[in-house]
Every structure is written in C-alpha cells, then in structure tokens.
Amino acid sequence: MAEQKHDDLLLQHELEVMQGIIESKEQYRRIIKAAVARWVRDFQENRIEISTVDDLRKLIELDIELQKDIL
C-alpha cells in the first residue's frame, strides 16, 4: 500500500513537471512568433538589411525545436 502511494506521488510529480515544461514551451513559442513577426515587419520597412537574416534563421530554428516534442 505504501509503495503504491509512493508510485502515485511520483507519477503526480512527473505529470506536474511535464505540464510546466509544456506551458513554458508554449510561452517561448509565443515570444518567438512575436519576434518573427516583428522581424518580418522591420524587413518589409527596410529597417533590416539582408545581411542580418541569421537572426531570423535562429528564431525559426528555435520554433521548430520547440515543436518537435509536440508532434
């Protein structure tokens, strides 16, 4: 009985940790999406030179990495 309770508490803890990770990833994706939108807007308004496209690439790579566990 005590072992079952311990297993249940451990499982509950793991679920809470995973939920926190999922929520954090969702927040990070919102930040990345906003940054990408801002980058595109700035690029369209000629405030960004094509030589700085590496920043956009990094943002897109981060977004893809965060989505890997979702799929």
Side-chain angles (χ1 to χ4, degrees), residues 8-23:
D8 290 346
L9 288 174
L10 183 59
L11 180 59
Q12 180 64 33
H13 174 71
E14 290 175 358
L15 289 172
E16 289 172 2
V17 168
M18 290 302 297
Q19 183 63 33
I21 291 170
I22 290 168
E23 289 172 5

Side-chain angles (χ1 to χ4, degrees), residues 51-68:
S51 62
T52 62
V53 76
D54 190 54
D55 292 339
L56 177 62
R57 182 187 57 80
K58 289 176 185 176
L59 288 170
I60 292 169
E61 287 174 353
L62 281 169
D63 191 40
I64 290 169
E65 190 66 31
L66 288 170
Q67 292 181 64
K68 283 183 179 177

Side-chain angles (χ1 to χ4, degrees), residues 1 3-4 6-7 16 18 22 27-29 31-32 38 48 50 62-63 69-70:
M1 183 71 170
E3 186 175 331
Q4 179 63 36
H6 178 268
D7 290 346
E16 289 172 2
M18 290 302 297
I22 290 168
Q27 290 174 350
Y28 297 148
R29 288 211 55 226
I31 291 168
I32 290 169
R38 177 59 186 233
I48 293 180
I50 197 69
L62 281 169
D63 191 40
D69 291 337
I70 295 172

